[in-house]
Amino acid sequence: MSPIAAAFTGLVVVFVLYQIGGSILTLLIFGLDIKSANVNAMRLMTIGGQIMFILLPALVFAKLVYEDVGTIIRFKLPSFKEIIVFVVGMILITPLLQTYLYVQNFLINLLAEKYVVVERIKSILDQLDKLVTETYSDLIRSETVFEASFIVIVVAVVPSICEEVFFRGYVQKSFEFRIKPVWAALVTAIFFALYHFNPYGLIALFALGFFFGYSAYISGSIFIPLLLHFLNNFIAVMTYFILGEEEFIQADVSDPSQIGTNLFLFVFFLMLFMVYIYLVNRNYDKIKQRKELL
């Protein structure tokens, strides 16, 4: 099997197993009234689904197609300096994507007011976004510290491991055997975004996935994007715990006075991030050389 065929086969199999098979299994176990299902049982189901339908297929495909699982998945420990380099990037890209989402949603609302077609599309997207938001909110709502700790495992720890091993490990590495690394990261990021079924977050998820892919290729370590993915989800969970459910409802972008500030911040953080990428591309070899000398 060629690497490209291996990548697409893995994507199709995981989609069928996790999205379709997982949904059917959930309905068989909990029935049609998902809202009344035991939330902890749903959380355990989420963990099991991620491990069985994403992580395990990634490892099995890597073994069957390439044999050397460690090389394909990029099981290499990074240095502390490498970790710091990409955490800085995560610090920059987070507000960049937040301000982008504000500008994006403002423009969508503006277009929906002027064009009937856009308004109808937005209505469909709103329904899908509400379903995703409500499902996610149910999973991360907690009453105790112990429950909050369990939620971090469900939402931050397990997804970061399973999704990064599959996407940035098996899938992206497969693409890299046949196409340039930048294109491999781009294609993988597209599927990463689509797999999350988040209509308004599609472009932001793509950008985030591309940064994860960039970090995986540059560092040669799956542990870098895994850490970044964990930090992204962990911050989202902690924000929910601190600010409440309102944080996960689409931001009120009806006030035109805020668009100027958000647009300025978006451009500002975009420029910072571009400078950051330039510096990483220019100096990363020096960082790796210093690591080898230690």
Side-chain angles (χ1 to χ4, degrees):
M1 184 183 296
S2 72
I4 297 294
F8 279 110
T9 300
L11 286 165
V12 171
V13 168
V14 166
F15 178 82
V16 172
L17 287 176
Y18 186 67
Q19 300 293 357
I20 300 177
S23 299
I24 294 173
L25 188 60
T26 300
L27 290 175
L28 289 174
I29 294 175
F30 299 106
L32 295 175
D33 190 9
I34 302 296
K35 296 291 290 184
S36 63
N38 182 279
V39 68
N40 284 322
M42 287 292 294
R43 289 165 181 159
L44 288 172
M45 183 77 178
T46 301
I47 292 176
Q50 289 260 335
I51 294 173
M52 293 297 296
F53 299 146
I54 298 180
L55 178 62
L56 187 59
L59 297 175
V60 170
F61 272 109
K63 180 64 177 177
L64 291 177
V65 178
Y66 303 108
E67 295 187 359
D68 188 355
V69 176
T71 300
I72 297 303
I73 306 300
R74 310 178 207 258
F75 287 137
K76 188 193 79 171
L77 290 175
S79 68
F80 180 73
K81 287 183 179 180
E82 289 176 296
I83 293 173
I84 294 299
V85 165
F86 289 105
V87 169
V88 169
M90 196 68 200
I91 292 172
L92 293 176
I93 200 173
T94 298
L96 168 63
L97 296 181
Q98 288 174 340
T99 52
Y100 164 77
L101 285 171
Y102 187 97
V103 174
Q104 169 197 273
N105 293 341
F106 180 88
L107 293 176
I108 290 174
N109 283 0
L110 192 64
L111 291 172
E113 292 174 359
K114 294 184 177 181
Y115 302 101
V116 176
V117 174
V118 178
E119 193 279 330
R120 290 175 179 174
I121 295 174
K122 181 179 181 298
S123 178
I124 296 173
L125 294 179
D126 284 343
Q127 294 178 20
L128 180 58
D129 183 67
K130 181 180 178 182
L131 178 62
V132 172
T133 301
E134 288 178 349
T135 303
Y136 192 73
S137 296
D138 289 339
L139 283 177
I140 64 176
R141 189 176 293 112
S142 68
E143 301 295 336
T144 66
V145 174
F146 174 79
E147 189 176 16
S149 301
F150 183 42
I151 290 168
V152 170
I153 295 174
V154 176
V155 177
V157 176
V158 174
S160 64
I161 295 172
C162 298
E163 293 178 16
E164 290 311 308
V165 168
F166 176 65
F167 284 105
R168 255 59 64 176
Y170 174 74
V171 174
Q172 182 173 317
K173 188 68 173 181
S174 294
F175 283 132
E176 287 175 12
F177 284 121
R178 288 292 183 269
I179 60 179
K180 292 182 178 181
V182 64
W183 290 109
L186 280 168
V187 173
T188 304
I190 291 172
F191 286 106
F192 174 74
L194 292 173
Y195 268 53
H196 283 79
F197 287 100
N198 188 330
Y200 290 110
L202 189 65
I203 295 177
L205 282 166
F206 165 75
L208 201 61
F210 182 61
F211 180 57
F212 292 165
Y214 170 79
S215 70
Y217 174 72
I218 292 292
S219 68
S221 172
I222 195 64
F223 297 106
I224 294 290
L226 194 156
L227 173 63
L228 300 181
H229 196 147
F230 166 78
L231 289 174
N232 178 74
N233 292 15
F234 178 74
I235 291 171
V237 172
M238 295 307 295
T239 301
Y240 179 92
F241 290 160
I242 295 171
L243 300 181
E245 189 170 349
E246 293 78 11
E247 179 65 21
F248 285 87
I249 299 175
Q250 186 178 341
D252 180 15
V253 293
S254 59
D255 182 4
S257 66
Q258 297 297 316
I259 187 62
T261 301
N262 280 276
L263 186 58
F264 169 79
L265 290 174
F266 169 69
V267 173
F268 173 73
F269 282 111
L270 179 61
M271 292 176 64
L272 280 182
F273 190 72
M274 291 174 65
V275 171
Y276 160 81
I277 293 296
Y278 169 78
L279 292 175
V280 171
N281 287 338
R282 183 177 180 181
N283 298 295
Y284 200 79
D285 285 341
K286 296 178 181 178
I287 296 173
K288 288 196 290 187
Q289 289 172 3
R290 290 171 186 167
K291 176 187 173 182
E292 292 169 359
L293 292 174
L294 294 178

